[in-house]
Amino acid sequence: MDELAFEGIPLPQPAVAPAPGPSAPEAVAARAVAPETVPALTARLAGRLQRTHAGVLAAHQAVIAWQLARVAGPTALPSAPAPPRPVDAVATVLHAAARAFRAEGAGPYPGGASLTWLDEAPELQGGAPRVERDGEEWRIGDGERTFAVLAPHGPRDSRPEPPAPRFPPDPRPLARTTVTRLTAADLDALAAGDIARVLGSAFEQSDLPAAALPAPWPARLLDTVTFADPRGGRNGQGLLLATTRLPDHAEDVWPHCVAAALELLRVHAFHQGLHLCLPGARATLPVRRPVLVDVHDTPAPPGAELRLEAEITATGMLPRPYTTADCRVTVAGHPLARLRDVGVVLKEGPGQDALDPVRPGLRTGANGKRVVADELHTAIFAEGDLGTVPLPGSTTRVTGRVRPRLPRGDFRMLDRVVDGHGEWDAYRPGSWGLAEYDVPADPWYVRENGGTMPQLALMETALQAAGLFSGMLGVAGAYPDGHLSCRNLDGRARLLRDVDTPGTTVEQHVTLRSHSPLPGGVMHRYDFRLRAGGEPFYEGEAVHGFFTPELLAEQQGLDGGTYRPPWLERHPPAPADVRRLDPRRDPRPGRGRLALLEDVTLVPGGGDHGAGYVLCDKPVRRDDWFFHHHFFQDPVMPGSAGVQMLYQAVHAYALHTGLLDHLAHPRLHIAVGEELHWSYRGQILREHRRVRGEAHIRAVRREDHRVLLFADGSVWRDDLRIYQVDNIAADIRGEAA
């Protein structure tokens, strides 16, 4: 068997004084000038004009020198002039098409149209594209092929806005930068390939061969770009601002608007680092995806400054990195054009393959080493075509639809596989893998958990790495023609220290401890450890099972398939001090996706230990957010969500039984040093009716600024108890009231 090849800051910007403009002319009295004053007046005006001209020239030379210094660097030696960049093919094609429309008598077309690219816009080698009318459509081509189609669309009010996402995805750039505004000099440097100088060291690729570096950009159309808000816009996925000027020769404004918007999205894609996984990365057009173009009758003379405001609608990695947006264009504050669903796709250079297993990787991890699997690979492992990723050491092609997967979207908490040691299909104990997760600066699970890290995120960050490593050791090729599901079965975990991970890179280290073949599956036991800043902060062990449908169907819960009712049902009649509440009106235990409680019953002094009891009941809804994210083609409620529900139940108990009355602004934390244990023996699918969870309080410890609660709990799917969770240790902290 073949061994897996696992071993395998922006510069300061100099301040530039504004260029001196010409002085205001002196006021001249509206009266005749005496003849004897003419020579003196003429001399004075000539001298002032000469000084003004000299000042403007000096400022112009200073700006040019500064721009050259930024591009060349302070220590760069004189070199040959850079080759001219290609013209913007999109702008060239559309301007030529606009001239053809006018020649055909179509006027300033379009007033409202859909623009659909069927192929990449070619670089025209002299001459204009062929524009032919086909019914109401205009077909743009070169005589051999049609590469774009323009077709009129209906009134603006007949195209309602698509609904904004209920939970906008978190921004997930592949590289982080503090740069939020780009000048014309910055844009020229980006176009010339000097990306790291402009955006920072996270974008450094200078050690790559020339063929792997991004392709040169076309000549610049934009003057400035501002990344106004990474969570802005009606979709909550980003707001971009830019300025550009109409060409002096422009007869129609819409070609320039389209080309400038595409350039803005290209800049955004590189600012997000989406190019870092692709050799010879270049921006192309999404094909067969109509862009709606509306142009107003607002006057826009040649040379006028246009302002663009783009709201990002989507950013993703598959099948190749892409970004789309809706864009508004204004001139002098008045609406000029609106573009909907404009987008760019980044692709490899000609003859390159980002998934070629022989090609050395492009991406580096936090330790500076080339990674084993980059963000494109992990995106494919989450929701792509697994047949496009060659399995190491194997020629097996997977055809089964349900396969072990990473979660997708915001629930995927793993970005890259950095290092490791193992052998395909050998599963030797001691095999290990190292992955990384770039935690967003403001992750959804912290925002929706009252500002603290939930147990759900800690568990997923650890367990996802174990599941992926099993796949890389051979499980990905097991039972290739049948369905195979990954399910966590058991685990234990301990938070070692308080840590603030948002905005950092977490290292995920997993070690295989045992491999157990099953009739119809495989079982793996792992140790895991999470590190931040080089120091461990979360560790434990877990057991993953990889099951065929037949083996998965044999799960009978924790009680051999019999119904064991919750404690409250076993102790009728209900105690007199039972309290019922609806936490949906109280977001403190969790909101948004983490609003996991609905109907809650509290029994102070109840439960197995006589220290308190809480029961929660929640219906299963087919559109529950986790089904879409966990897993692709194998939707299931994650066990970590059930564990989080029990933590929230304990939190609700403390909030509504007076335990926290001495604290202001109490927030739930995971208790440091306490080991959580869990066992799962069943799954919750869309067709199930309800989820119930109970927690038995074992002990309560009150301190000046905190309350510690310790509990054990269970989770039911309908009438089957499927989760057992022990030592739920909630550390609720606040200020003294």
Side-chain angles (χ1 to χ4, degrees):
M1 295 294 178
D2 295 333
E3 188 172 354
L4 290 177
F6 283 145
E7 284 81 30
I9 311 266
L11 296 178
Q13 300 185 6
V16 179
S23 302
E26 294 184 351
V28 179
R31 58 180 175 85
V33 180
E36 63 272 19
T37 66
V38 170
L41 177 62
T42 301
R44 187 167 62 254
L45 291 176
R48 176 164 295 183
L49 181 62
Q50 187 176 18
R51 289 191 299 274
T52 299
H53 179 72
V56 171
L57 181 61
H60 183 63
Q61 291 172 339
V63 170
I64 292 176
W66 172 68
Q67 291 175 340
L68 291 175
R70 289 203 64 185
V71 175
T75 60
L77 297 176
S79 59
R85 296 199 300 274
V87 298
D88 191 303
V90 171
T92 302
V93 167
L94 294 183
H95 277 296
R99 289 193 294 270
F101 299 150
R102 284 184 177 275
E104 288 282 335
Y109 192 82
S114 64
L115 170 64
T116 305
W117 296 94
L118 306 179
D119 203 343
E120 295 185 33
E123 292 185 19
L124 298 174
Q125 302 299 326
R130 178 175 295 181
V131 181
E132 299 176 342
R133 193 161 191 164
D134 183 7
E136 293 189 351
E137 294 183 346
W138 292 90
R139 306 185 74 81
I140 308 170
D142 57 7
E144 297 181 359
R145 63 194 173 109
T146 298
F147 43 79
V149 175
L150 270 167
H153 63 68
R156 294 184 181 91
D157 58 4
S158 68
R159 296 175 290 105
E161 293 277 4
R166 182 183 177 193
F167 301 117
D170 276 346
R172 292 285 297 274
L174 273 63
R176 295 184 172 112
T177 178
T178 60
V179 175
T180 59
R181 190 176 188 276
L182 301 174
T183 64
D186 295 327
L187 294 169
D188 284 335
L190 291 178
D194 208 356
I195 300 173
R197 179 185 293 275
V198 176
L199 299 181
S201 59
F203 297 77
E204 184 61 63
Q205 292 186 299
S206 59
D207 58 337
L208 296 179
L213 296 176
W217 293 9
R220 173 176 56 80
L221 301 179
L222 300 176
D223 297 324
T224 63
V225 172
T226 301
F227 305 93
D229 185 354
R231 306 185 66 85
R234 68 182 299 270
N235 296 285
Q237 299 188 55
L239 178 64
L240 314 178
L241 307 175
T243 60
T244 183
R245 288 192 178 275
L246 278 175
D248 291 337
H249 60 276
E251 297 181 65
D252 294 274
V253 301
W254 66 269
H256 188 80
C257 292
V258 173
L262 290 171
E263 180 176 322
L264 178 56
L265 289 187
R266 177 175 67 227
V267 173
H268 174 65
F270 276 74
H271 186 266
Q272 294 286 294
L274 300 183
H275 63 288
L276 294 172
C277 295
L278 302 175
R282 58 195 178 93
T284 66
L285 300 164
V287 298
R288 303 190 183 279
R289 185 185 181 104
V291 177
L292 301 184
V293 181
D294 286 324
V295 181
H296 299 267
D297 295 330
T298 307
E305 183 182 75
L306 309 184
R307 295 185 177 272
L308 286 72
E309 180 180 295
E311 295 182 334
I312 301 300
T313 54
T315 301
M317 294 296 294
L318 298 179
R320 286 298 185 269
Y322 68 90
T323 186
T324 61
D326 294 337
C327 185
R328 290 184 292 273
V329 185
T330 60
V331 58
H334 301 290
L336 178 64
R338 185 182 180 201
L339 312 176
R340 184 183 298 180
D341 211 21
V342 63
V344 297
V345 177
L346 301 188
K347 293 184 179 179
E348 304 95 319
Q352 307 264 21
D353 183 1
L355 301 178
D356 182 359
V358 179
R359 177 187 59 79
L362 303 180
R363 290 285 276 143
T364 56
N367 60 5
K369 294 182 63 174
R370 297 290 174 194
V371 304
V372 175
D374 59 31
E375 289 87 344
L376 182 58
H377 291 96
T378 54
I380 292 172
F381 204 85
E383 55 185 318
D385 180 2
L386 294 179
T388 65
V389 182
L391 301 177
S394 171
T395 59
T396 301
R397 177 171 173 80
V398 171
T399 61
R401 183 177 63 87
V402 176
R403 307 304 299 166
R405 298 273 192 175
L406 284 171
R408 58 181 178 169
D410 280 348
F411 206 57
R412 177 163 61 87
M413 300 179 192
L414 184 150
D415 291 313
R416 301 169 295 277
V417 179
V418 177
D419 204 352
H421 182 78
E423 189 175 336
W424 177 262
D425 206 29
Y427 305 114
R428 290 193 176 95
S431 301
W432 59 271
L434 176 64
E436 289 179 346
Y437 169 43
D438 294 332
V439 184
D442 183 24
W444 66 271
Y445 45 78
V446 171
R447 295 195 309 272
E448 297 177 6
N449 193 54
T452 65
M453 182 68 68
Q455 188 69 260
L456 170 143
L458 293 170
M459 293 174 68
E460 290 296 331
T461 305
L463 298 179
Q464 290 179 22
L468 178 60
F469 190 56
S470 286
M472 298 182 70
L473 286 176
V475 169
Y479 304 92
D481 299 324
H483 296 332
L484 190 68
S485 296
C486 175
R487 298 292 185 265
N488 180 225
L489 300 177
D490 295 286
R492 60 178 181 84
R494 185 195 311 268
L495 183 65
L496 303 177
R497 60 187 175 94
D498 285 324
V499 63
D500 188 17
T501 61
T504 68
T505 296
V506 170
E507 296 178 329
Q508 303 152 292
H509 195 284
V510 295
T511 303
L512 182 67
R513 289 307 177 200
S514 66
H515 165 74
S516 304
L518 304 171
V522 174
M523 194 158 62
H524 284 171
R525 180 178 297 274
Y526 279 98
D527 289 344
F528 59 76
R529 174 172 288 186
L530 303 182
R531 302 169 69 96
E535 296 295 327
F537 69 90
Y538 191 74
E539 66 180 13
E541 70 174 33
V543 177
H544 277 14
F546 300 87
F547 301 134
T548 59
E550 295 77 16
L551 187 58
L552 194 60
E554 294 183 9
Q555 285 191 319
Q556 298 184 357
L558 292 165
D559 306 301
T562 61
Y563 177 51
R564 176 192 168 187
W567 177 88
L568 193 59
E569 290 187 14
R570 302 197 311 268
H571 294 78
D577 56 351
V578 165
R579 305 179 190 177
R580 302 188 186 278
L581 59 113
D582 184 354
R584 288 174 291 184
R585 301 175 183 176
D586 182 356
R588 290 177 294 177
R591 60 184 179 87
R593 282 156 286 194
L594 289 188
L596 300 173
L597 302 179
E598 292 197 11
D599 297 318
V600 173
T601 303
L602 311 176
V603 186
D608 288 343
H609 311 288
Y613 174 84
V614 56
L615 175 69
C616 51
D617 193 326
K618 180 182 183 299
V620 176
R621 299 179 178 88
R622 296 190 62 83
D623 64 348
D624 280 330
W625 65 271
F626 39 74
F627 288 132
H628 178 71
H629 290 82
H630 184 271
F631 298 102
F632 179 53
Q633 297 179 329
D634 185 21
V636 61
M637 175 178 166
S640 60
V643 173
Q644 187 65 30
M645 181 176 68
L646 295 180
Y647 271 89
Q648 292 184 357
V650 172
H651 192 190
Y653 180 89
L655 285 168
H656 295 280
T657 55
L659 292 177
L660 307 180
D661 287 352
H662 66 298
L663 298 179
H665 311 297
R667 298 198 300 176
L668 173 66
H669 298 258
I670 308 302
V672 172
E674 295 292 334
E675 189 167 85
L676 176 75
H677 293 254
W678 67 88
S679 293
Y680 306 147
R681 293 299 183 269
Q683 56 185 346
I684 300 167
L685 307 176
R686 280 191 169 108
E687 58 263 30
H688 294 126
R689 294 179 291 107
R690 65 173 179 167
V691 179
R692 288 182 292 171
E694 71 173 8
H696 301 263
I697 309 298
R698 286 192 287 106
V700 176
R701 192 160 66 226
R702 297 173 60 128
E703 300 177 3
D704 289 343
H705 298 283
R706 71 196 322 181
V707 173
L708 289 163
L709 293 94
F710 302 88
D712 304 323
S714 298
V715 173
W716 281 257
R717 175 201 75 200
D718 296 337
D719 290 333
L720 191 67
R721 191 171 72 98
I722 58 172
Y723 300 171
Q724 176 67 37
V725 184
D726 294 330
N727 202 33
I728 302 164
D731 181 357
I732 304 176
R733 307 174 198 168
E735 304 168 5

